[in-house]
Amino acid sequence: EEEGEQKLMTRLQLLKTRASVANENVFAARAGWARSSILERENPRASRSELIDIREFVEPKTTTPRISVAVGEALLDAGAAQTAEDLLIEVRRWNPRAVEKGRIYRALARIAVSKGEIDEAIKYFERFEREAFASIDLGEVKLEKAELLAVSGKEAEARAE
């Protein structure tokens, strides 16, 4: 099984490289994302590195949001908040109905918190609640929002969450 997985990883790397040379960015991004998906199980750090590596191939207008958002989250986890924010805003602009919009809003809220923009983060959490209300992460988002409300002096609103 490991031998087959290694062959697949090598083949995907070759496909990614060939696609890159041929300026086939969507194909290169997909090959890199597939490598990341395989790595995620046993080596999450390597998986994130693969996602960061394909950033240059990701164009929100043409790349599926599933890949674009994963790259944005990897960038955010790596400390590249501004690059992540720019990418995620563009993904949302080009894909307003994306299933991943909850992940986008949550990541944008994290970025706002890191900048000290608590009110902006609360707005992103509110958008999450309105547009991704069926998400399994809704409870966690409500808790995060309540913490921010409490920090900003809005204890009554925080308790209502």
Side-chain angles (χ1 to χ4, degrees):
E1 183 179 321
E2 282 185 35
E3 184 180 321
E5 188 173 291
Q6 192 56 43
K7 282 183 181 180
L8 177 60
M9 291 294 285
T10 302
R11 193 161 183 206
L12 286 169
Q13 180 62 45
L14 182 61
L15 288 171
K16 185 175 89 169
T17 302
R18 286 181 179 164
S20 171
V21 170
N23 264 346
E24 294 180 14
N25 291 347
V26 171
F27 193 53
R30 287 181 178 176
W33 178 79
R35 283 179 51 84
S36 170
S37 297
I38 293 167
L39 290 167
E40 190 170 7
R41 199 179 44 226
E42 292 177 18
N43 192 342
R45 178 174 281 156
S47 174
R48 294 286 183 184
S49 292
E50 184 68 40
L51 289 170
I52 291 167
D53 187 51
I54 64 171
R55 168 58 186 109
E56 65 183 291
F57 307 121
V58 173
E59 291 294 329
K61 185 177 180 180
T62 56
T63 305
T64 177
R66 185 173 188 175
I67 295 172
S68 301
V69 172
V71 169
E73 290 170 334
L75 288 165
L76 179 57
D77 290 344
Q82 189 59 56
T83 306
E85 181 178 24
D86 295 343
L87 175 61
L88 293 168
I89 287 171
E90 282 300 299
V91 172
R92 184 71 184 119
R93 185 169 83 88
W94 284 104
N95 304 279
R97 293 184 187 90
V99 172
E100 295 81 7
K101 63 187 163 191
R103 289 171 52 201
I104 293 170
Y105 290 136
R106 194 170 188 187
L108 290 171
R110 285 177 49 203
I111 293 167
V113 168
S114 73
K115 293 178 177 179
E117 299 171 355
I118 303 303
D119 290 339
E120 188 70 17
I122 291 169
K123 287 178 186 174
Y124 279 123
F125 283 139
E126 288 171 347
R127 287 190 77 179
F128 180 104
E129 290 172 334
R130 279 194 312 273
E131 297 184 35
F133 55 86
S135 171
I136 60 171
D137 295 330
L138 183 60
E140 290 176 20
V141 166
K142 285 184 135 328
L143 284 173
E144 290 176 51
K145 180 183 163 194
E147 288 173 10
L148 293 178
L149 287 167
V151 166
S152 64
K154 301 173 184 172
E155 288 84 12
E157 289 181 48
R159 283 192 295 274
E161 287 296 319

